[in-house]
PDB file of all heavy atoms in Angstrom:
ATOM      1  N   MET A   1      93.164 -58.440  72.371  1.00 42.00           N
ATOM      2  CA  MET A   1      92.179 -58.031  71.388  1.00 42.00           C
ATOM      3  C   MET A   1      90.822 -58.580  71.835  1.00 42.00           C
ATOM      4  O   MET A   1      90.685 -59.746  72.147  1.00 42.00           O
ATOM      5  CB  MET A   1      92.558 -58.599  70.020  1.00 42.00           C
ATOM      6  CG  MET A   1      91.554 -58.310  68.951  1.00 42.00           C
ATOM      7  SD  MET A   1      91.887 -59.007  67.302  1.00 42.00           S
ATOM      8  CE  MET A   1      93.612 -58.950  67.106  1.00 42.00           C
ATOM      9  N   SER A   2      89.818 -57.723  71.854  1.00 41.00           N
ATOM     10  CA  SER A   2      88.498 -58.166  72.278  1.00 41.00           C
ATOM     11  C   SER A   2      87.832 -58.988  71.185  1.00 41.00           C
ATOM     12  O   SER A   2      88.161 -58.886  70.011  1.00 41.00           O
ATOM     13  CB  SER A   2      87.616 -56.955  72.619  1.00 41.00           C
ATOM     14  OG  SER A   2      87.222 -56.303  71.435  1.00 41.00           O
ATOM     15  N   VAL A   3      86.864 -59.802  71.593  1.00 42.00           N
ATOM     16  CA  VAL A   3      86.124 -60.622  70.639  1.00 42.00           C
ATOM     17  C   VAL A   3      85.384 -59.726  69.657  1.00 42.00           C
ATOM     18  O   VAL A   3      85.373 -59.987  68.456  1.00 42.00           O
ATOM     19  CB  VAL A   3      85.141 -61.557  71.377  1.00 42.00           C
ATOM     20  CG1 VAL A   3      84.238 -62.272  70.398  1.00 42.00           C
ATOM     21  CG2 VAL A   3      85.902 -62.536  72.239  1.00 42.00           C
ATOM     22  N   HIS A   4      84.774 -58.647  70.149  1.00 41.00           N
ATOM     23  CA  HIS A   4      84.029 -57.733  69.281  1.00 41.00           C
ATOM     24  C   HIS A   4      84.953 -57.123  68.230  1.00 41.00           C
ATOM     25  O   HIS A   4      84.611 -57.059  67.049  1.00 41.00           O
ATOM     26  CB  HIS A   4      83.379 -56.624  70.106  1.00 41.00           C
ATOM     27  CG  HIS A   4      82.556 -55.682  69.281  1.00 41.00           C
ATOM     28  ND1 HIS A   4      83.107 -54.790  68.400  1.00 41.00           N
ATOM     29  CD2 HIS A   4      81.227 -55.511  69.198  1.00 41.00           C
ATOM     30  CE1 HIS A   4      82.167 -54.111  67.803  1.00 41.00           C
ATOM     31  NE2 HIS A   4      81.009 -54.520  68.270  1.00 41.00           N
ATOM     32  N   TYR A   5      86.136 -56.708  68.653  1.00 36.00           N
ATOM     33  CA  TYR A   5      87.092 -56.108  67.718  1.00 36.00           C
ATOM     34  C   TYR A   5      87.515 -57.123  66.660  1.00 36.00           C
ATOM     35  O   TYR A   5      87.558 -56.821  65.475  1.00 36.00           O
ATOM     36  CB  TYR A   5      88.316 -55.583  68.470  1.00 36.00           C
ATOM     37  CG  TYR A   5      89.373 -55.021  67.558  1.00 36.00           C
ATOM     38  CD1 TYR A   5      89.210 -53.775  66.968  1.00 36.00           C
ATOM     39  CD2 TYR A   5      90.520 -55.745  67.260  1.00 36.00           C
ATOM     40  CE1 TYR A   5      90.173 -53.254  66.113  1.00 36.00           C
ATOM     41  CE2 TYR A   5      91.486 -55.240  66.406  1.00 36.00           C
ATOM     42  CZ  TYR A   5      91.304 -53.994  65.841  1.00 36.00           C
ATOM     43  OH  TYR A   5      92.255 -53.493  64.993  1.00 36.00           O
ATOM     44  N   ALA A   6      87.803 -58.344  67.086  1.00 37.00           N
ATOM     45  CA  ALA A   6      88.217 -59.378  66.141  1.00 37.00           C
ATOM     46  C   ALA A   6      87.104 -59.673  65.153  1.00 37.00           C
ATOM     47  O   ALA A   6      87.337 -59.833  63.959  1.00 37.00           O
ATOM     48  CB  ALA A   6      88.617 -60.648  66.885  1.00 37.00           C
ATOM     49  N   TYR A   7      85.867 -59.733  65.630  1.00 38.00           N
ATOM     50  CA  TYR A   7      84.729 -59.981  64.750  1.00 38.00           C
ATOM     51  C   TYR A   7      84.560 -58.830  63.771  1.00 38.00           C
ATOM     52  O   TYR A   7      84.372 -59.047  62.579  1.00 38.00           O
ATOM     53  CB  TYR A   7      83.453 -60.160  65.573  1.00 38.00           C
ATOM     54  CG  TYR A   7      82.220 -60.350  64.731  1.00 38.00           C
ATOM     55  CD1 TYR A   7      81.962 -61.561  64.115  1.00 38.00           C
ATOM     56  CD2 TYR A   7      81.315 -59.310  64.543  1.00 38.00           C
ATOM     57  CE1 TYR A   7      80.840 -61.744  63.327  1.00 38.00           C
ATOM     58  CE2 TYR A   7      80.191 -59.482  63.760  1.00 38.00           C
ATOM     59  CZ  TYR A   7      79.952 -60.698  63.161  1.00 38.00           C
ATOM     60  OH  TYR A   7      78.836 -60.858  62.390  1.00 38.00           O
ATOM     61  N   SER A   8      84.661 -57.607  64.246  1.00 38.00           N
ATOM     62  CA  SER A   8      84.527 -56.447  63.375  1.00 38.00           C
ATOM     63  C   SER A   8      85.610 -56.437  62.308  1.00 38.00           C
ATOM     64  O   SER A   8      85.342 -56.143  61.150  1.00 38.00           O
ATOM     65  CB  SER A   8      84.601 -55.145  64.179  1.00 38.00           C
ATOM     66  OG  SER A   8      83.524 -55.057  65.059  1.00 38.00           O
ATOM     67  N   ARG A   9      86.837 -56.771  62.684  1.00 36.00           N
ATOM     68  CA  ARG A   9      87.933 -56.803  61.710  1.00 36.00           C
ATOM     69  C   ARG A   9      87.686 -57.874  60.656  1.00 36.00           C
ATOM     70  O   ARG A   9      87.925 -57.654  59.486  1.00 36.00           O
ATOM     71  CB  ARG A   9      89.270 -57.066  62.406  1.00 36.00           C
ATOM     72  CG  ARG A   9      89.726 -55.973  63.314  1.00 36.00           C
ATOM     73  CD  ARG A   9      90.265 -54.797  62.568  1.00 36.00           C
ATOM     74  NE  ARG A   9      91.422 -55.201  61.786  1.00 36.00           N
ATOM     75  CZ  ARG A   9      91.971 -54.465  60.847  1.00 36.00           C
ATOM     76  NH1 ARG A   9      91.459 -53.297  60.563  1.00 36.00           N
ATOM     77  NH2 ARG A   9      93.012 -54.879  60.186  1.00 36.00           N
ATOM     78  N   SER A  10      87.172 -59.032  61.071  1.00 36.00           N
ATOM     79  CA  SER A  10      86.932 -60.095  60.100  1.00 36.00           C
ATOM     80  C   SER A  10      85.809 -59.703  59.148  1.00 36.00           C
ATOM     81  O   SER A  10      85.836 -60.040  57.975  1.00 36.00           O
ATOM     82  CB  SER A  10      86.609 -61.419  60.792  1.00 36.00           C
ATOM     83  OG  SER A  10      85.345 -61.366  61.416  1.00 36.00           O
ATOM     84  N   MET A  11      84.821 -58.982  59.639  1.00 42.00           N
ATOM     85  CA  MET A  11      83.735 -58.532  58.774  1.00 42.00           C
ATOM     86  C   MET A  11      84.247 -57.493  57.789  1.00 42.00           C
ATOM     87  O   MET A  11      83.842 -57.473  56.642  1.00 42.00           O
ATOM     88  CB  MET A  11      82.583 -57.941  59.599  1.00 42.00           C
ATOM     89  CG  MET A  11      81.847 -58.976  60.424  1.00 42.00           C
ATOM     90  SD  MET A  11      81.079 -60.248  59.422  1.00 42.00           S
ATOM     91  CE  MET A  11      79.766 -59.301  58.668  1.00 42.00           C
ATOM     92  N   MET A  12      85.163 -56.644  58.225  1.00 43.00           N
ATOM     93  CA  MET A  12      85.705 -55.622  57.341  1.00 43.00           C
ATOM     94  C   MET A  12      86.545 -56.262  56.242  1.00 43.00           C
ATOM     95  O   MET A  12      86.600 -55.759  55.131  1.00 43.00           O
ATOM     96  CB  MET A  12      86.557 -54.632  58.137  1.00 43.00           C
ATOM     97  CG  MET A  12      85.737 -53.720  59.012  1.00 43.00           C
ATOM     98  SD  MET A  12      86.733 -52.709  60.127  1.00 43.00           S
ATOM     99  CE  MET A  12      87.976 -52.055  59.081  1.00 43.00           C
ATOM    100  N   ASN A  13      87.183 -57.377  56.544  1.00 42.00           N
ATOM    101  CA  ASN A  13      88.037 -58.039  55.568  1.00 42.00           C
ATOM    102  C   ASN A  13      87.267 -58.968  54.641  1.00 42.00           C
ATOM    103  O   ASN A  13      87.841 -59.590  53.769  1.00 42.00           O
ATOM    104  CB  ASN A  13      89.144 -58.816  56.281  1.00 42.00           C
ATOM    105  CG  ASN A  13      90.116 -57.882  56.944  1.00 42.00           C
ATOM    106  OD1 ASN A  13      90.300 -56.760  56.501  1.00 42.00           O
ATOM    107  ND2 ASN A  13      90.712 -58.323  58.018  1.00 42.00           N
ATOM    108  N   ASP A  14      85.953 -59.084  54.833  1.00 68.00           N
ATOM    109  CA  ASP A  14      85.114 -59.938  54.014  1.00 68.00           C
ATOM    110  C   ASP A  14      84.781 -59.194  52.725  1.00 68.00           C
ATOM    111  O   ASP A  14      83.724 -58.602  52.588  1.00 68.00           O
ATOM    112  CB  ASP A  14      83.851 -60.306  54.784  1.00 68.00           C
ATOM    113  CG  ASP A  14      82.955 -61.237  54.002  1.00 68.00           C
ATOM    114  OD1 ASP A  14      83.482 -62.001  53.175  1.00 68.00           O
ATOM    115  OD2 ASP A  14      81.739 -61.198  54.218  1.00 68.00           O
ATOM    116  N   ASP A  15      85.733 -59.212  51.790  1.00 86.00           N
ATOM    117  CA  ASP A  15      85.546 -58.492  50.541  1.00 86.00           C
ATOM    118  C   ASP A  15      84.390 -59.077  49.747  1.00 86.00           C
ATOM    119  O   ASP A  15      84.229 -60.289  49.676  1.00 86.00           O
ATOM    120  CB  ASP A  15      86.812 -58.531  49.694  1.00 86.00           C
ATOM    121  CG  ASP A  15      87.934 -57.732  50.318  1.00 86.00           C
ATOM    122  OD1 ASP A  15      87.630 -56.773  51.052  1.00 86.00           O
ATOM    123  OD2 ASP A  15      89.098 -58.073  50.072  1.00 86.00           O
ATOM    124  N   ARG A  57      75.360 -53.806  51.592  1.00 97.00           N
ATOM    125  CA  ARG A  57      76.371 -54.844  51.868  1.00 97.00           C
ATOM    126  C   ARG A  57      75.699 -56.126  52.342  1.00 97.00           C
ATOM    127  O   ARG A  57      76.065 -57.224  51.925  1.00 97.00           O
ATOM    128  CB  ARG A  57      77.373 -54.349  52.899  1.00 97.00           C
ATOM    129  CG  ARG A  57      78.458 -55.356  53.189  1.00 97.00           C
ATOM    130  CD  ARG A  57      79.470 -54.824  54.203  1.00 97.00           C
ATOM    131  NE  ARG A  57      80.579 -55.728  54.327  1.00 97.00           N
ATOM    132  CZ  ARG A  57      81.616 -55.774  53.510  1.00 97.00           C
ATOM    133  NH1 ARG A  57      81.690 -54.945  52.502  1.00 97.00           N
ATOM    134  NH2 ARG A  57      82.587 -56.646  53.698  1.00 97.00           N
TER     135      ARG A  57
END
Side-chain angles (χ1 to χ4, degrees):
M1 176 182 325
S2 74
V3 172
H4 182 290
Y5 177 76
Y7 177 76
S8 296
R9 294 284 299 167
S10 69
M11 291 299 290
M12 288 172 48
N13 292 332
D14 182 28
D15 292 332
R57 182 179 188 82

